[in-house]
Amino acid sequence: MGRGRPGAPRAAAVQGTGGSSAVSKCSAAARGYIQDRFLRLLVGRRRRRAPLIHRGYYIRARAVDHCVQDFLLKTQSHPRTQILSLGAGFDSLYFRLKDMGLLHHTMVYEVDFPNVAHQKAALIKRMEELSSLVGSSEGEGLGVITFSGKDYKLLGVDLSELSQLERVLEEAGLNTEITTLFIAEVVLTYMENSRSDALIQWAAEHFSRACFLLYEQMHPEDPFGHVMQQHFNQLNSTLHSVAQYPDCEAQQKRFLAKGWTECSVMDMNEFFTCCTPEDEQQRVQTLEPFDEYEEWHLKCSHYFVLAASKGMEPSWTPLLPSMRVPHGAVGMAGSVPAVRAMHSDTSGLRRYGHRSVLLKRDVILTTGGFGEEDGQHCRMRNFHVLIKHAGCWKAGCVKKENTDKSWDERLYHTVSRVSNSLALVVGGRTSPSSAGLGMLWLKFHETCNALDTGDITVKLVSLQPAAEPAALRWRHSTTEVMFKGKKYLFVYGGRSALEPVLGDWYFLHAQELSCTGIPVEGPIPESRHSHTACSWKGGVVIAGGLGAAEQPLGSVFFLRELEHGFQWLTVETHPPLIPRYSHTAHVHDGKLLLVGGVWFHTSSVPGITVIDLMSGLCLDYMINVALSLVVKAA
């Protein structure tokens, strides 16, 4: 997404999003996500962006290029074609297409605010590498036509003024009888809906053969959508279209109602899965260390690409995938009210990538993760505890007895209760390129259920056990299992700095922390991380996770104890479990409860899924926060 300046006048703020987008695309190109040698010439400043930003701009560029090149391929037999890029900013599309030899009979028009168009025109004139591709300028700088070449014209006009836009395009030579592709890449949403609707309808009514490519945001109603809207509001770049056209179906109906005869839409998770070759997916996934899967998939579910057309023979269908990702409505068996524990300070619990564990009855310990501490967004150093007494919850931080001992501020680790005063930390990471953080004992005093949370202290003890290789991972699971009357910790799956997904496992003797070889038979589950694992009947139930292709998994396995070892069994669910990851899970009364997480169904966010482990019956329930119950707390 683009970035303007908080508090800037609206027009300037919207223009700022275009400049920021160019910087982000340039950073993505520098890391090899996209092949574009012209961006660096059009972007004045350089700035290294985060891997998540790189992926976001990669999928945006990939979708646009996919549709544009499909249009040029399908119209090769046409004597002439036109491309009209609305709000083009400092995009390099024309120069890339020209360099690839794809504009033999195509005229490209770019439109943006006058000052943006003048800046870009000045850059083209100044850069020999750019001006030589355009060729000699014809009547350069005359009025709103800031640059004019044989097959390229750059126009400075406000898109929201439709009558003025129409006049300028006619003056520049745009021909309504020639097959034309309109491109609007995160542009129309900044306009009032009445004006963007009018532009969409004008294009359908005035051009006999036309295609329209739209890339924008959607789903403003869920938590990610709220944050997304706040981001743009703070930049004074309000997203107008998301309220009236909140999803793919609404956008499709919008275009069909405005005169377009065909329209297909997909979110970016579906585009990446279905319209991007597997080898290309693998290439992108290995370009740089990455561990922000939740944010990546949530962002992709909140952006869409739309292709509409009219008068095209044969039909223009660039978004016809080889496979489909389900994104329709999820059948809900009902809803359950949320239960909120109200207490004086929740700041220490606002984190993700953490681990919470029940140390003893009514004492919950939370460690690690990423959140806000001392006014800074960072990896969390402090531990947090919730203690229930006389029906009330009391919150507080745990004091470290040996403050010189580094906690390493780890994320995506596991914490397993060994006794009332002892817990084992396994794995975790600081950065995605770290090799893993090994094991750590957390030793508590027996009085950790005291009313005064200030009395709770913990001693950190580093370990160098023989089983250390089992701990050099994160996003894994560590679960208590029983074998021949002895307790073991079953460490399964996850990922490491070298392997993006792991499918191995270890049995750690609970007291000695040594690896024990125990035979396991049956079909081996697909490698995964970000799954859940719950103790059940002496074994462990594994559910969901993210697989090797960064795709959510919908499988459930039970590792059952046998006399001579363990056996993997597949739990067949009906209807099939919707693939998800980064959820939490609990087994209660023979039923597996999956809570929250991330899935690819864009129509809803995951609630609670209940799976009967005996029959396989699988039911989804929505969490109704509007009917939330309040649990009394101190």
Side-chain angles (χ1 to χ4, degrees):
M1 59 181 67
R3 185 179 300 274
R5 290 180 294 109
R10 176 162 174 74
V14 171
Q15 294 169 45
T17 64
S20 177
S21 294
V23 173
S24 296
K25 287 181 181 178
C26 192
S27 180
R31 291 295 297 181
Y33 284 86
I34 54 181
Q35 307 304 313
D36 192 334
R37 64 187 181 90
F38 300 104
L39 273 171
R40 59 180 176 80
L41 303 175
L42 291 165
V43 177
R45 64 187 189 278
R46 307 285 177 83
R47 191 169 298 168
R48 172 75 179 271
R49 300 297 201 205
L52 178 62
I53 301 297
H54 288 158
R55 283 202 180 195
Y57 277 92
Y58 161 79
I59 197 64
R60 170 175 170 173
R62 177 86 189 180
V64 171
D65 283 2
H66 171 86
C67 294
V68 171
Q69 292 190 35
D70 186 84
F71 168 81
L72 293 172
L73 178 66
K74 299 292 175 56
T75 58
Q76 283 184 112
S77 60
H78 294 217
R80 293 169 62 197
T81 57
Q82 300 171 142
I83 294 177
L84 174 54
S85 181
L86 304 168
F90 295 93
D91 191 69
S92 61
L93 178 65
Y94 164 79
F95 300 98
R96 286 186 286 112
L97 295 176
K98 185 67 176 288
D99 190 50
M100 295 166 65
L102 297 178
L103 297 179
H104 296 301
H105 57 89
T106 303
M107 184 76 182
V108 177
Y109 298 85
E110 291 187 346
V111 178
D112 212 312
F113 288 107
N115 62 330
V116 174
H118 280 288
Q119 289 179 51
K120 189 171 185 177
L123 282 170
I124 296 172
K125 295 169 189 175
R126 191 164 64 245
M127 299 288 183
E128 172 63 25
E129 199 170 346
L130 299 176
S131 58
S132 61
L133 274 175
V134 182
S136 59
S137 179
E138 304 166 359
E140 58 186 68
L142 297 178
V144 295
I145 304 176
T146 62
F147 196 97
S148 178
K150 182 180 178 181
D151 55 5
Y152 174 75
K153 291 189 178 180
L154 179 57
L155 316 176
V157 62
D158 188 341
L159 293 177
S160 63
E161 301 297 334
L162 185 56
S163 58
Q164 183 183 5
L165 174 64
E166 185 176 6
R167 176 179 56 79
V168 169
L169 290 173
E170 183 179 355
E171 178 186 333
L174 189 71
N175 190 332
T176 58
E177 297 302 316
I178 295 177
T179 304
T180 303
L181 170 64
F182 293 83
I183 302 174
E185 187 181 337
V186 194
V187 174
L188 301 189
T189 189
Y190 296 130
M191 298 164 56
E192 294 176 2
N193 288 334
S194 59
R195 293 178 181 269
S196 59
D197 284 346
L199 196 158
I200 292 169
Q201 185 168 342
W202 168 82
E205 291 177 346
H206 286 71
F207 290 77
S208 54
R209 294 183 306 278
C211 302
F212 206 112
L213 168 60
L214 181 70
Y215 179 88
E216 275 187 11
Q217 302 90 341
M218 64 174 175
H219 290 306
E221 71 286 346
D222 62 23
F224 188 96
H226 292 157
V227 173
M228 178 177 70
Q229 288 187 94
Q230 288 173 2
H231 167 81
F232 284 99
N233 288 340
Q234 288 172 358
L235 301 177
N236 200 20
S237 304
T238 302
L239 303 178
H240 291 283
S241 63
V242 291
Q244 188 170 345
Y245 307 108
D247 52 34
C248 290
E249 183 181 2
Q251 286 285 356
Q252 186 178 48
K253 290 180 178 178
R254 175 192 196 185
F255 272 76
L256 294 175
K258 300 303 176 187
W260 299 87
T261 57
E262 295 184 79
C263 183
S264 56
V265 198
M266 60 173 59
D267 70 47
M268 304 319 294
N269 279 321
E270 184 175 5
F271 177 83
F272 187 70
T273 301
C274 303
C275 295
T276 307
E278 286 188 19
D279 58 344
E280 173 63 8
Q281 293 182 35
Q282 294 169 4
R283 184 191 73 84
V284 169
Q285 290 164 355
T286 57
L287 282 174
E288 59 184 329
F290 185 82
D291 197 40
E292 298 171 284
Y293 306 104
E294 294 85 359
E295 294 93 331
W296 160 239
H297 288 138
L298 284 169
K299 182 172 183 177
C300 284
S301 72
H302 285 75
Y303 281 79
F304 69 88
V305 58
L306 175 150
S309 63
K310 58 159 291 188
M312 297 295 291
E313 291 292 342
S315 299
W316 186 55
T317 55
L319 299 180
L320 193 61
S322 56
M323 60 179 287
R324 299 293 298 182
V325 171
H327 54 79
V330 177
M332 293 290 176
S335 64
V336 294
V339 177
R340 294 181 292 123
M342 303 295 292
H343 50 79
S344 57
D345 181 18
T346 60
S347 59
L349 287 175
R350 292 174 180 169
R351 57 178 85 188
Y352 66 88
H354 59 282
R355 183 62 61 171
S356 294
V357 62
L358 190 66
L359 281 182
K360 60 173 65 175
R361 182 177 176 84
D362 296 336
V363 179
I364 301 172
L365 173 72
T366 298
T367 64
F370 192 92
E372 186 174 341
E373 206 166 71
D374 300 327
Q376 299 287 327
H377 288 280
C378 60
R379 294 191 297 272
M380 302 293 275
R381 298 180 297 274
N382 295 328
F383 295 175
H384 188 282
V385 69
L386 278 175
I387 298 177
K388 189 177 182 181
H389 181 76
C392 295
W393 288 97
K394 191 170 183 179
C397 288
V398 180
K399 295 180 179 178
K400 299 183 181 70
E401 196 171 274
N402 45 343
T403 55
D404 58 323
K405 197 69 176 178
S406 174
W407 158 243
D408 293 319
E409 301 164 13
R410 57 184 81 192
L411 293 81
Y412 303 116
H413 53 294
T414 61
V415 181
S416 302
R417 174 190 175 276
V418 177
S419 69
N420 285 349
S421 59
L422 196 61
L424 178 68
V425 178
V426 177
R429 66 144 176 105
T430 50
S431 76
S433 58
S434 65
L437 298 175
M439 297 186 188
L440 195 69
W441 280 121
L442 302 181
K443 295 187 175 182
F444 296 86
H445 294 297
E446 287 288 346
T447 57
C448 71
N449 61 343
L451 292 180
D452 184 2
T453 56
D455 289 340
I456 298 177
T457 59
V458 60
K459 183 178 181 180
L460 281 60
V461 181
S462 296
L463 293 169
Q464 294 296 330
E468 185 73 5
L472 300 181
R473 62 186 66 210
W474 65 89
R475 291 182 176 266
H476 56 291
S477 59
T478 304
T479 317
E480 182 181 297
V481 298
M482 298 293 294
F483 182 61
K484 294 185 177 180
K486 294 183 179 180
K487 288 184 180 180
Y488 294 87
L489 295 177
F490 180 70
V491 180
Y492 171 73
R495 61 156 303 179
S496 69
L498 298 177
E499 297 293 336
V501 62
L502 298 169
D504 60 345
W505 59 79
Y506 294 84
F507 290 94
L508 302 183
H509 191 279
Q511 297 299 325
E512 301 169 4
L513 296 185
S514 59
C515 284
T516 303
I518 301 178
V520 177
E521 60 186 51
I524 298 175
E526 178 181 348
S527 299
R528 66 192 66 206
H529 64 71
S530 307
H531 55 282
T532 55
C534 297
S535 298
W536 186 54
K537 292 187 174 181
V540 57
V541 179
I542 305 291
L546 207 60
E550 294 188 10
Q551 293 294 306
L553 303 175
S555 52
V556 181
F557 289 88
F558 175 44
L559 185 70
R560 181 178 65 172
E561 182 190 7
L562 303 175
E563 184 177 341
H564 60 279
F566 286 87
Q567 179 186 33
W568 284 115
L569 297 175
T570 301
V571 179
E572 300 290 348
T573 60
H574 55 89
L577 172 67
I578 298 173
R580 65 165 66 170
Y581 72 100
S582 286
H583 50 289
T584 59
H586 314 271
V587 173
H588 176 70
D589 195 22
K591 293 180 174 58
L592 176 65
L593 310 179
L594 307 181
V595 183
V598 177
W599 62 23
F600 281 6
H601 276 259
T602 59
S603 61
S604 62
V605 296
I608 298 177
T609 300
V610 181
I611 301 172
D612 189 312
L613 291 172
M614 301 304 294
S615 68
L617 179 62
C618 180
L619 298 174
D620 288 292
Y621 295 85
M622 177 181 64
I623 299 176
N624 193 337
V625 294
L627 298 176
S628 58
L629 305 176
V630 178
V631 176
K632 184 172 65 172

